[in-house]
């Protein structure tokens, strides 16, 4: 019953999300204006009359789907991301949000832990830790392996910590690289954080499982439906389904190890008593567009998640995370004399400055330059595209 209801929630929120995308696209084509999210939410009430199955689903979840779609559009219009894509029924990962009226019942002696969701009811759950405070949002995810996960966002009503003042001595620069995951330069020196080993370990296993999956039986028939559109009909063997789940579990394990790794490293950085401010590069341009090598590293190590985790942990203790301007040449500037190097290919790991003759390690120089960011004048910061403002949610698009 609950499983059916959750599948219903996945389906309906996906439907609303997709409906939003197509209406917003039509609206833009016809009027040249962006659609207003609140207008859509008003229309959603009428849509429920037209499509009564929407009523079986928590209306807050549907609204949340519309807001997510709206957000995806805003990110697209502000050139942070690509045009949002339709969510597919066949996508292996499904999710929905519940912004209100959710309850978490912690296990007591003799009872199991439960999560209570509106329109779904109590669901038995393994709860990883206890918390106090009000629940903001509950997100339900079904992973490709078929396992369900729930994440709960809690407001613990702690007053916000006033951020520390920024001074150069207690500032560190972090450069994200390909060979070395992160290079951190602070007053006490340079630290290189290597890429985690679990990726290599698991990638062999992934390859094997992918090969096995390729050998399993999967028949694709292309048929025409009533409208004359071509639709794919896929039939898979039982073995295919088994191997697919195994593969999905490996992916899941990698995700979990990655999260663990990120938690460890960020924990250490946040608790470095010598550092109160970290400066990172603007990922919008550098990660996504400038070179695809880094883009791969971004997804391997999870740079986006790394910075997101770092940001909220720093914020909790009153430390700062600053994003350098997107035009700041952090990898092409000589950290000794400030001369700009005209060309630097990705292969060049070391380079010598033609002005002052200093030899530089590529990653270390970049991290030093990022650290130097806090010394720039306000007008220079502005010239490089950012007025040194604190990192906000939308600055990490992935
Ligand atoms: Zn130089």
């Amino acid at each position: 019953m609950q499983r059916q209801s959750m599948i219903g929630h996945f389906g309906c929120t996906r439907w609303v999300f997709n409906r939003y995308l197509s209406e917003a696209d039509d609206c833009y084509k016809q009027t040249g204006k962006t659609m207003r999210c609140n207008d859509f939410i008003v229309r959603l009430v009428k849509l429920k009359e037209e499509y009564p199955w929407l009523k079986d689903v928590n209306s807050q979840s549907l609204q949340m789907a519309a807001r997510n779609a709206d957000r995806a559009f805003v990110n697209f219009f502000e050139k942070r991301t690509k045009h949002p894509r339709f969510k597919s029924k066949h996508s292996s990962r499904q999710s929905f949000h519940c912004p209100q009226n959710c309850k978490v019942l912690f296990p007591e002696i003799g009872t199991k832990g439960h999560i209570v969701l509106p329109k779904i009811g109590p669901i038995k759950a393994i709860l990883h830790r206890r918390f106090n405070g009000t629940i903001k949002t509950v997100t339900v995810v079904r992973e490709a392996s078929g396992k369900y996960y729930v994440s709960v966002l809690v407001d613990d009503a702690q007053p916000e910590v006033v951020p520390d003042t920024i001074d150069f001595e207690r500032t560190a620069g972090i450069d994200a690289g390909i060979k070395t995951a992160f290079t951190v330069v602070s007053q006490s020196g340079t630290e290189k954080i290597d890429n985690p080993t679990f990726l290599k370990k698991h990638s062999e296993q992934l390859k094997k499982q992918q090969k096995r999956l390729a050998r399993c039986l999967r028949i694709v028939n292309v048929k025409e439906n009533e409208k004359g559109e071509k639709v794919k009909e896929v039939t898979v063997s039982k073995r295919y389904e088994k191997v697919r789940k195994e593969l999905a579990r490996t992916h899941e394990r990698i995700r979990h190890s990655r999260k663990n790794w990120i938690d460890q490293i960020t924990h250490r950085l946040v608790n470095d008593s010598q550092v109160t401010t970290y400066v990172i590069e603007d990922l919008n341009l550098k990660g996504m567009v400038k070179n695809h090598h880094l883009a791969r590293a971004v997804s391997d190590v999870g740079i986006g998640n790394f910075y997101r985790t770092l940001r909220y942990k720093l914020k909790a203790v009153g430390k700062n995370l600053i994003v350098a301007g997107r035009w700041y040449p952090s990898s092409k500037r000589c950290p000794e004399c400030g001369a700009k190097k005209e060309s630097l290919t990705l292969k060049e790991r070391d380079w010598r400055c033609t002005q002052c003759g200093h030899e530089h390690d590529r990653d270390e120089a970049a991290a030093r330059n990022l650290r130097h960011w806090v010394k720039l004048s306000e007008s220079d910061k502005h010239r490089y595209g950012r007025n040194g403002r604190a990192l906000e949610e939308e600055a990490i698009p992935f």
Side-chain angles (χ1 to χ4, degrees):
M1 237 342 256
Q2 286 169 337
R3 188 178 298 250
Q4 274 312 314
S5 180
M6 288 213 261
I7 291 169
H9 274 71
F10 291 136
C12 290
T13 50
R14 183 178 60 231
W15 186 87
V16 168
F17 184 93
N18 289 343
R19 175 89 184 200
Y20 191 99
L21 294 196
S22 69
E23 283 197 15
D25 271 337
D26 288 346
C27 172
Y28 189 73
K29 264 178 220 151
Q30 282 158 15
T31 64
K33 281 182 190 152
T34 51
M35 184 169 80
R36 286 185 44 209
C37 187
N38 285 339
D39 295 347
F40 179 85
I41 285 173
V42 171
R43 269 205 306 287
L44 200 56
V45 182
K46 279 183 201 143
L47 282 172
K48 279 189 190 171
E49 300 305 318
E50 211 176 317
Y51 305 97
W53 35 264
L54 287 173
K55 288 182 192 164
D56 297 337
V57 167
N58 178 14
S59 58
Q60 296 289 333
S61 296
L62 299 178
Q63 283 190 21
M64 199 77 175
R67 296 207 187 278
N68 284 341
D70 180 55
R71 200 189 168 118
F73 262 106
V74 172
N75 280 335
F76 166 63
F77 280 119
E78 294 180 1
K79 296 194 167 57
R80 282 190 290 266
T81 50
K82 290 182 186 165
H83 187 281
R85 284 195 309 195
F86 288 104
K87 284 194 197 293
S88 161
K89 184 182 175 181
H90 302 291
S91 160
S92 50
R93 190 178 186 275
Q94 301 283 340
S95 69
F96 69 88
H97 302 283
C98 260
Q100 273 172 30
N101 305 323
C102 303
K103 257 190 255 164
V104 174
L105 307 172
F106 290 106
E108 302 294 339
I109 300 162
T111 62
K112 292 220 162 105
H114 283 80
I115 288 180
V116 190
L117 300 175
K119 295 244 178 171
I120 296 177
I123 306 157
K124 245 189 267 168
I126 299 166
L127 302 164
H128 288 285
R129 66 185 178 96
R130 286 171 186 266
F131 55 79
N132 293 312
T134 40
I135 297 170
K136 302 290 274 187
T137 315
V138 170
T139 306
V140 181
V141 177
R142 191 186 64 204
E143 295 286 3
S145 62
K147 286 188 187 164
Y148 285 78
Y149 291 93
V150 176
S151 57
V152 182
L153 184 69
V154 180
D155 181 0
D156 59 4
Q158 295 287 328
E160 260 189 45
V161 189
V162 181
D164 245 302
T165 48
I166 296 163
D167 69 281
F168 181 72
E169 266 65 47
R170 295 193 300 159
T171 296
I174 306 179
D175 178 63
I178 302 151
K179 266 199 169 158
T180 310
F182 299 102
T183 307
V184 185
V185 172
S186 66
Q187 188 80 333
S188 49
T190 304
E191 188 200 359
K192 296 219 167 200
I193 299 167
D194 283 329
N195 273 312
T197 48
F198 58 79
L199 285 172
K200 219 176 175 184
K201 202 179 92 196
H202 284 299
S203 72
E204 313 256 304
Q205 198 186 356
L206 274 183
K207 259 185 220 153
K208 265 188 212 159
Q209 287 177 333
Q210 269 154 353
K211 267 191 195 152
R212 262 171 56 206
L213 189 66
R215 282 197 298 265
C216 292
L217 194 60
R218 185 172 179 271
I219 305 161
V220 182
N221 278 324
V222 180
K223 283 186 176 174
E224 278 192 9
N225 65 5
E226 319 78 83
K227 290 179 197 160
E229 293 164 339
K230 281 185 179 163
V231 274
K232 274 188 197 164
E233 203 184 74
V234 184
T235 328
V236 295
S237 65
K238 269 193 181 153
R239 189 176 145 72
Y240 179 94
E241 195 45 33
K242 192 177 155 239
V243 178
R244 188 194 66 78
K245 277 205 170 151
E246 277 170 19
L247 182 65
R249 224 163 282 150
T250 308
H251 276 296
E252 218 170 275
R253 240 171 257 142
I254 294 178
R255 254 199 313 278
H256 290 168
S257 331
R258 183 183 289 143
K259 188 176 176 295
N260 239 327
W261 181 79
I262 288 177
D263 277 337
Q264 279 173 25
I265 307 277
T266 50
H267 180 83
R268 203 155 51 71
L269 293 176
V270 170
N271 288 301
D272 184 337
S273 58
Q274 306 296 309
V275 181
T276 55
T277 302
Y278 285 95
V279 186
I280 61 171
E281 61 195 322
D282 190 314
L283 289 167
N284 280 302
L285 210 71
K286 292 195 171 149
M288 305 294 276
V289 192
K290 258 194 176 170
N291 69 71
H292 61 275
H293 291 282
L294 191 56
R296 235 206 75 200
V298 165
S299 62
D300 268 4
V301 181
I303 294 181
N305 269 334
F306 181 90
Y307 288 147
R308 224 171 282 135
T309 311
L310 184 63
R311 179 194 58 216
Y312 87 74
K313 286 188 181 174
L314 286 172
K315 199 176 167 195
V317 296
K319 293 186 177 184
N320 310 294
L321 186 63
I322 292 174
V323 183
R326 61 171 60 185
W327 312 118
Y328 182 53
S330 60
S331 51
K332 289 183 182 167
R333 177 185 174 276
C334 169
E336 287 294 332
C337 69
K340 202 180 156 193
K341 189 170 163 44
E342 277 320 312
S343 68
L344 186 67
T345 63
L346 272 169
K347 280 185 191 139
E348 293 176 64
R349 305 307 310 165
D350 302 292
W351 56 280
R352 184 184 288 278
C353 173
T354 48
Q355 293 284 322
C356 67
H358 271 95
E359 184 92 31
H360 296 299
D361 168 89
R362 178 204 184 89
D363 297 336
E364 188 184 343
R368 279 178 72 187
N369 285 329
L370 287 166
R371 183 173 182 235
H372 184 79
W373 172 263
V374 296
K375 272 190 169 177
L376 295 182
S377 68
E378 287 307 309
S379 65
D380 273 348
K381 283 179 187 167
H382 207 76
R383 191 158 57 88
Y384 290 131
R386 193 186 292 271
N387 210 2
R389 73 182 165 90
L391 177 65
E392 295 300 334
E393 179 87 36
E394 76 275 17
I396 307 175
F398 44 81

